[in-house]
Amino acid sequence: MPTLHTINKSPCERSSAKSCLDHVMEGDAVLMIEDAVLGARKGGTFVRVLKAERPACAVYVLGPDLAARGMRTEDLAEGISVIDYGGFVDLAVANARVCAWL
Amino acid sequence: MAEETNRKRFLYINRRAPYGTIYALESLEVVLIGAAFEQEVSVAFIDDGVYQLMAGQDTAGIGMKNFSKTYRALGDYDVRRLYVERESLAERGITVEQLMPITYEDEDDNYTEKPSILLMHRSEMARLIAEQDVVLSF
Amino acid sequence: MRFGIVVNEGPYTHQASDSAYQFAKAALQKGHEIFRVFFYHDGVNNGTRFTVPPQDDRNLQRQWSELAEAHKLDLVVCIAAAQRRGILDANEAKRQGKDGDNIAPGFRISGLGQLIEAGIQADRLVVFGD
């Protein structure tokens, strides 16, 4: 059963986002929370890497963290789904384990 | 769950170097306490976490406690699977020979001393994570 | 489902405690159970009752204490991490010869075994840190 990976730091600040992508299996889910949502902006390096290297995993971003940082849905790269804390809980339920990349 | 038992598979992920922050020390304390609960324990050393296992740590000059020898006691606590990521070593210019020699005594094999450090490729580490029931990050 | 939640950072400096709190609230709203919230590393600092945050901002300790009371949550502060950082209950203060204690209502100090037990008893363990 798949894993929910969470990333909480900006990919430009720390390498945890990259480490996460290096350990994702097909069918896993990746959720970006807190400062990590900044990496979901279209045109940024991270989303380019994400698209090139991990097309087979579902990527989510926490809406409240986006809004807090002045990001709108239109600012996001394609293929990233916005969820709320309830959605975060649902993802944790739907996947067998949660792996935090701090 | 682990087959035929009610034991869960616990993976402790270490990705930070020791001393600059407390995570290495306090995660080791969890591993030691956790050993008493007889679950299936694996410890992963990824990214800068590999530095926790470096031989020759000398903390006299920084006035902090050198806790590196505690890793060598892990075998006595039945924690025998210390998975070190090959790519993390290579990216840092470290070889396994530069790590502490950490071993355990295999009671099923005449108490032969065997290495606890097991090198793994990134892809194998990904599969290891996918096999766990509980993943703890520090 | 039954959740275990781990909070690895203290209040305000990192968002971890906020994220954990929001997650906990959402889980409870959906009818899930929270087996335990375990505070480790600087996370133990969420458990002091002596914070005086600005009036126009959230009071993280009070939020946790109130959520614990409303839902009978088990908020556990790790004793080893707490001793390092000066979070004490009355018993610990007496034991250690300190002239006061500071544990907040709804939090209790206990051993690391409580974290392992949360991993064993919960269906999912979610870690919030830096």
Side-chain angles (χ1 to χ4, degrees):
Chain A
M1 268 192 75
T3 302
L4 169 64
H5 300 268
T6 62
I7 312 171
N8 65 300
K9 303 305 286 192
S10 157
C12 294
E13 176 189 341
R14 205 173 288 183
S15 62
S16 48
K18 179 189 178 297
S19 292
C20 171
L21 294 194
D22 284 342
H23 295 87
V24 162
M25 304 268 283
E26 193 166 325
D28 283 354
V30 172
L31 170 62
M32 299 159 76
I33 70 171
E34 300 177 9
D35 287 343
V37 304
L38 298 167
R41 185 179 283 275
K42 63 186 168 201
T45 313
F46 182 70
V47 290
R48 230 175 297 138
V49 170
L50 183 63
K51 191 169 179 177
E53 300 189 9
R54 287 286 179 268
C57 81
V59 183
Y60 303 86
V61 75
L62 200 54
D65 277 321
L66 279 180
R69 291 157 179 81
M71 274 176 73
R72 304 156 305 163
T73 324
E74 312 82 278
D75 299 324
L76 294 179
E78 255 181 60
I80 297 183
S81 308
V82 181
I83 61 171
D84 60 10
Y85 287 101
F88 185 173
V89 172
D90 291 340
L91 278 179
V93 169
N95 290 274
R97 69 200 65 77
V98 184
C99 181
W101 297 89
L102 305 174
Chain B
M1 302 267 276
E3 286 167 19
E4 292 171 11
T5 73
N6 275 325
R7 303 200 304 167
K8 279 194 171 179
R9 294 190 186 106
F10 273 71
L11 176 65
Y12 300 95
I13 296 187
N14 290 298
R15 290 181 39 251
R16 289 164 154 149
Y19 308 116
T21 56
I22 203 170
Y23 304 109
L25 171 60
E26 288 191 325
S27 77
L28 186 54
E29 290 178 350
V30 181
V31 176
L32 291 170
I33 299 278
F37 287 74
E38 297 186 338
Q39 304 296 297
E40 271 195 43
V41 173
S42 307
V43 189
F45 296 87
I46 299 174
D47 299 333
D48 279 359
V50 302
Y51 288 118
Q52 294 178 27
L53 301 176
M54 287 296 281
Q57 296 178 28
D58 175 1
T59 61
I62 60 170
M64 289 171 76
K65 177 180 160 189
N66 182 346
F67 61 95
S68 58
K69 62 181 183 299
T70 312
Y71 291 96
R72 272 180 271 188
L74 283 175
D76 299 337
Y77 285 75
D78 249 1
V79 178
R80 313 172 155 188
R81 291 189 294 232
L82 309 183
Y83 295 107
V84 174
E85 193 170 86
R86 288 184 183 273
E87 289 85 345
S88 297
L89 287 177
E91 283 161 6
R92 287 157 183 77
I94 305 169
T95 62
V96 68
E97 290 77 24
Q98 292 169 296
L99 303 181
M100 293 182 281
I102 302 175
T103 59
Y104 70 96
E105 289 176 351
D106 188 348
E107 65 274 6
D108 295 332
D109 189 6
N110 258 330
Y111 292 92
T112 312
E113 222 175 282
K114 294 183 176 172
S116 304
I117 290 182
L118 306 160
L119 296 183
M120 247 190 183
H121 284 292
R122 211 154 248 169
S123 52
E124 294 171 295
M125 192 67 82
R127 271 193 293 277
L128 179 74
I129 292 170
E131 290 167 2
Q132 304 305 310
D133 297 301
V134 186
V135 180
L136 274 155
S137 309
F138 302 95
Chain C
M1 272 213 172
R2 191 190 274 175
F3 284 97
I5 295 174
V6 186
V7 181
N8 282 347
E9 299 301 335
Y12 307 106
T13 304
H14 298 93
Q15 195 181 354
S17 183
D18 289 281
S19 297
Y21 173 76
Q22 298 297 338
F23 181 91
K25 252 180 50 177
L28 291 164
Q29 261 156 22
K30 283 180 163 275
H32 296 293
E33 186 194 328
I34 293 179
F35 178 79
R36 179 167 295 145
V37 184
F38 190 84
F39 295 86
Y40 197 41
H41 305 307
D42 280 354
V44 301
N45 289 318
N46 285 283
T48 171
R49 64 176 186 273
F50 287 161
T51 63
V52 189
Q55 298 275 31
D56 64 349
D57 199 353
R58 80 271 191 225
N59 183 323
L60 274 165
Q61 171 263 300
R62 201 181 296 149
Q63 280 178 183
W64 279 115
S65 295
E66 287 171 0
L67 195 71
E69 184 173 5
H71 297 274
K72 301 205 181 344
L73 298 187
D74 187 22
L75 307 183
V76 177
V77 158
C78 169
I79 188 168
Q83 283 172 345
R84 283 197 169 99
R85 294 161 179 83
I87 305 295
L88 301 165
D89 59 21
N91 273 339
E92 268 299 286
K94 193 168 172 200
R95 229 164 56 97
Q96 307 293 350
K98 298 295 185 185
D99 60 5
D101 71 83
N102 56 3
I103 194 92
F107 289 80
R108 65 182 180 94
I109 295 183
S110 190
L112 269 172
Q114 301 279 290
L115 169 57
I116 308 299
E117 196 200 15
I120 294 170
Q121 296 297 335
D123 299 303
R124 300 287 185 270
L125 194 72
V126 190
V127 177
F128 294 90
D130 181 43

